Amino acid sequence: EAQVTQNPRYLITVTGKKLTVTCSQNMNHEYMSWYRQDPGLGLRQIYYSMNVEVTDKGDVPEGYKVSRKEKRNFPLILESPSPNQTSLYFCASGPTGGGTDTQYFGPGTRLTVL
Amino acid sequence: SQQGEEDPQALSIQEGENATMNCSYKTSINNLQWYRQNSGRGLVHLILIRSNEREKHSGRLRVTLDTSKKSSSLLITASRAADTASYFCATDAGGNKLVFGAGTILRVKS
């Protein structure tokens, strides 16, 4: 089944404790991206990647890191999480650039930073 | 930066009625997409309409695009309780980024 998977689905952590949210797609997509969703603000893009080893900042990249060492994986890293990073996070993938093709979204990761 | 803005923010209708949601955006686009999100879940793609298209249909969904007014509308005909969800427009303003609006919450009462 074609899908985007994220792990963990739920995470409660404390300020400053490094964490990684994994994202994997099995559709051989070139493009992958991360969004955060906050009430009243819709989805805001954090980072995106056009291909392996190519990553770029989205609209809200501060406090986040990403890497794209393999085509299928695009982990999101929070080196020192803070409470304002409490949010619902989505990974997405698409055949090509974000706006030109259908994007396939993962189920989301609900992160709480205390 | 929020490119698309949906209107209304929330909409409540009876099953069988039509639901219309609007999206306005600020800069020129290459295409516009509509997505649906059931409560707290991932987004599901509905329709992509390109800037040279004016109307597109998919089942009970009809999307229009007016580039002169920088606006789009999503019409769901004969709504069902299962259509209850949030609906987002997303625009491609170039640069390989997809920018989402804040969404319209649709509630269909049975």
Side-chain angles (χ1 to χ4, degrees):
Chain A
E1 181 191 350
Q3 60 182 351
V4 177
T5 57
Q6 295 178 225
N7 282 292
R9 296 287 315 279
Y10 303 90
L11 179 60
I12 300 174
T13 189
V14 294
T15 299
K17 187 177 181 182
K18 181 180 179 180
L19 67 90
T20 299
V21 184
T22 64
C23 173
S24 182
Q25 50 95 2
N26 62 1
M27 295 168 278
N28 201 37
H29 284 163
E30 304 277 332
Y31 185 91
M32 296 186 75
S33 59
W34 276 101
Y35 296 86
R36 61 177 287 171
Q37 184 177 27
D38 303 288
L41 295 177
L43 277 82
R44 294 178 292 168
Q45 191 176 54
I46 303 171
Y47 269 95
Y48 65 95
S49 169
M50 295 296 294
N51 212 327
V52 175
E53 302 292 0
V54 180
T55 62
D56 248 315
K57 295 178 180 179
D59 293 319
V60 288
E62 294 77 22
Y64 304 95
K65 285 175 59 177
V66 293
S67 68
R68 187 94 182 270
K69 293 185 171 57
E70 305 165 285
K71 197 171 189 177
R72 62 183 293 130
N73 296 322
F74 191 44
L76 179 69
I77 303 156
L78 284 72
E79 294 266 359
S80 182
S82 62
N84 64 13
Q85 292 178 299
T86 292
S87 188
L88 181 57
Y89 291 87
F90 290 100
C91 179
S93 74
T96 56
T100 56
D101 270 309
T102 298
Q103 296 297 297
Y104 297 83
F105 281 79
T109 295
R110 189 168 293 277
L111 172 66
T112 301
V113 183
L114 302 174
Chain B
S1 59
Q2 211 161 304
Q3 162 81 311
E5 293 188 7
E6 288 89 346
D7 170 63
Q9 290 185 333
L11 181 59
S12 183
I13 59 173
Q14 289 293 135
E15 204 165 27
E17 294 180 339
N18 295 342
T20 300
M21 288 158 270
N22 304 297
C23 170
S24 59
Y25 55 91
K26 298 172 185 171
T27 63
S28 296
I29 60 171
N30 297 314
N31 60 65
L32 184 145
Q33 303 183 42
W34 284 91
Y35 286 81
R36 184 188 75 225
Q37 182 183 32
N38 291 90
S39 182
R41 298 192 178 185
L43 280 73
V44 174
H45 182 261
L46 297 176
I47 286 184
L48 182 153
I49 185 166
R50 303 197 186 281
S51 59
N52 61 355
E53 297 175 309
R54 291 296 167 259
E55 189 170 310
K56 210 161 183 181
H57 296 254
S58 177
R60 293 183 297 111
L61 306 180
R62 172 179 167 244
V63 168
T64 60
L65 179 64
D66 187 336
T67 53
S68 66
K69 294 181 179 178
K70 292 188 170 57
S71 68
S72 173
S73 68
L74 169 67
L75 168 67
I76 304 174
T77 59
S79 63
R80 306 165 181 169
D83 294 327
T84 294
S86 294
Y87 292 82
F88 296 88
C89 69
T91 51
D92 161 33
N96 298 304
K97 290 168 63 173
L98 194 61
V99 182
F100 285 83
T104 292
I105 299 171
L106 173 65
R107 181 183 170 210
V108 181
K109 296 177 283 186
S110 56

